[in-house]
Amino acid sequence: MLVLFIAGAMSQAVAQEVAPSGAQLKFDKDVHDYGTVKNGADGSCTFDFTNTGNAPLIISNAKGSCGCTVPSWPKEPVAPGATATITVKYDTKRPGAINKSVTITSNAVNEPTKVIRIKGNVLPKPEGASPVNPAGPTVN
């Protein structure tokens, strides 16, 4: 009986050593695929994540791979067990393939630097698409 107790206590101690203590970042998805989108369409997408650790998660920075990819993230700490969202806005006035990344820096012990990606294709601007006054010219 004493042997079983000691063996159980040792296995619990080993399990505690394996699980790191601190904030941990877990995303629902690593890639958002826009598919094919119209030129000028809404280029916003979201990435939900959970702090699966036992300490507050602090995201210190999120940086797009270029100026056409703009992330926004929670500036306040994310409590253990809580879920939050990073929003990424892509400029869909740029026709062609989308293959961009956002690098997230945080205090997560499992992934202090995490890269999420967006991909897809933006259609060319329709022919003759320019701002037009539908009422015609103004006459005074």
Side-chain angles (χ1 to χ4, degrees):
M1 186 80 140
L2 182 61
V3 172
L4 289 176
F5 175 76
I6 293 171
M10 287 177 58
S11 66
Q12 189 175 22
V14 169
Q16 287 176 348
E17 286 179 31
V18 172
S21 182
Q24 293 193 33
L25 186 59
K26 181 175 185 335
F27 276 89
D28 290 349
K29 63 182 177 181
D30 292 334
V31 178
H32 176 82
D33 188 348
Y34 286 99
T36 300
V37 296
K38 291 182 180 179
N39 192 290
D42 180 13
S44 295
C45 67
T46 58
F47 290 84
D48 295 329
F49 65 90
T50 304
N51 177 1
T52 58
N54 59 10
L57 173 70
I58 300 168
I59 297 177
S60 55
N61 196 18
K63 183 167 177 52
S65 55
C66 72
C68 60
T69 307
V70 181
S72 61
W73 66 94
K75 306 302 188 269
E76 65 282 344
V78 179
T83 300
T85 301
I86 291 178
T87 302
V88 177
K89 180 143 178 68
Y90 180 75
D91 180 4
T92 59
K93 292 180 184 155
R94 300 168 182 252
I98 304 168
N99 187 10
K100 304 295 179 183
S101 63
V102 174
T103 302
I104 300 154
T105 307
S106 74
N107 68 332
V109 294
N110 62 328
E111 291 186 274
T113 302
K114 170 73 176 170
V115 177
I116 54 177
R117 304 191 68 77
I118 58 172
K119 66 180 187 175
N121 187 49
V122 177
L123 295 172
K125 186 184 230 181
E127 285 295 318
S130 61
V132 178
N133 182 354
T138 305
V139 177
N140 289 332

